[in-house]
Amino acid sequence: MGSVSLKIGDGTARFKRATICTSAVNGLMLFSVLTTNLFALYAFTYNPKNTNTNHQNPIHQAHQNISLITEQVSLITKEIESSQKKLAQMEKELLGYETIDVSKPNTANELKIFLQRHPLPLGKDSKSGITEMVASVGHTCSKSMDMLSQFMNYKVNGQCPDDLSIAQKLIAKGCEPLPRRRCFAKTIPKVANLYPFPISLWKSVSDKIVSWSGLSCKNFTCLNSNKKLGKDCGVGCFDLVNGFENQRFVKAKGKNDFLINDVLGMGGEGIRIGLDIAGGSGTFAARMAEKNVTVITQTLNNEAPSNDFIAARGLLPLFMSLDHRLPFYDNVFDLIHAGSSLDIGGKPEKLEFLMFDIDRVLRAGGLFWLDNFYCATEEKKRDLTRLIEKFGYKKLKWVVGEKSGSGKSEIYLSAVLEKPVRA
């Protein structure tokens, strides 16, 4: 698929053309040409088995043939028109024109305006054949219309409602990208409570400079005392002074914990930019920043103000789900770091899609650091191993270890893999 963006007013409309639609058009046109020729041949060669045919007037017979041809051409024309209408409908469905039904009651007016189709200002595009611009919005938004309408119900040019939790719920349901809005996001006075870089990397973040919208905890004391946010961000994940967070990646708890210096040594001098997938509070990016490596941290605000917190440390957060295609060009990263959050919902097909996308944005010779990936079963470990081997990565380091958790032994896999140069 290709995409084109046109800047119109204060928004950007994007339109796409699915390649399957092009194939359908080509196939149908070929079928129409063949059918037309067959009908024409039939019309000119048709000779009804009537004993009186040889005695008919030649002029009358010619009129009959012309009449037959006209009738057949009319049928063909109707068939082509019908096929064109079907193709137009297919195109609309493929491009998402009619995925979201805005005719439903209680649909926010702003959503209707945003999703309106607009004809191209210069007419039909000669290269793509597209005639309209379509708003960029996740197709699965149609499954959450009530929540989407609530998200789009606001005062134009006013302050946006306090609905960050709704936005995240929509993203988690696959409604990504969200539709744009014409309201001002709530501002938080951060200037007085921010530290200069690089001091900011390990200074406590004030409760007042982050948004606690939609979260059960309203301060970091609550968050760090009793909140285990997942395999990659446990209790104390946002405590930069006490606990283990300020020792991660420089001090190992076990054999599965690799150290920053060791991994960077495997990549030679070519590690400059990286991506941390589901990076929690941004500690991996902070350690890399100390080594003059720029790392973007992908995360959602899962029961914690992760994006605000990472930004307050002077680092780059990326607010998106792992169901979304990584918004980066091919072969740009020198290093990608990921843990157990890589396993989206425990579904092997989703993990495979994500692994291919990771491979796409990682340059040849770049490192993929799999950090303490939780293997719930031995079968899970074998499936992951087979998936990794499919990509042909060179295993620079590979460790399978056990940790005690929830009263039983758990299997974890850590690895540093080098992407090969493919012909």
Side-chain angles (χ1 to χ4, degrees), residues 217-257:
C217 280
K218 301 302 178 182
N219 55 64
F220 286 110
T221 302
C222 166
L223 191 65
N224 289 320
S225 62
N226 56 13
K227 285 288 182 180
K228 185 175 181 180
L229 305 174
K231 292 287 183 181
D232 298 325
C233 187
V235 177
C237 180
F238 290 82
D239 187 351
L240 302 181
V241 178
N242 305 306
F244 188 72
E245 194 65 19
N246 57 13
Q247 300 180 49
R248 289 185 67 196
F249 308 112
V250 294
K251 184 177 180 180
K253 278 186 174 181
K255 64 178 183 177
N256 282 73
D257 298 330

Side-chain angles (χ1 to χ4, degrees), residues 46 96 98 167 193 196 248 290 323:
Y46 177 69
E98 298 180 352
N193 296 283
R248 289 185 67 196
E290 294 176 330
D323 288 320

Side-chain angles (χ1 to χ4, degrees), residues 151-167:
F151 177 73
M152 292 298 290
N153 187 15
Y154 58 89
K155 182 180 179 181
V156 178
N157 298 325
Q159 183 171 314
C160 296
D162 185 9
D163 56 6
L164 292 178
S165 59
I166 295 177

Side-chain angles (χ1 to χ4, degrees), residues 25-37:
V25 172
N26 293 337
L28 183 63
M29 293 304 295
L30 178 61
F31 173 77
S32 299
V33 170
L34 292 174
T35 306
T36 302
N37 282 279

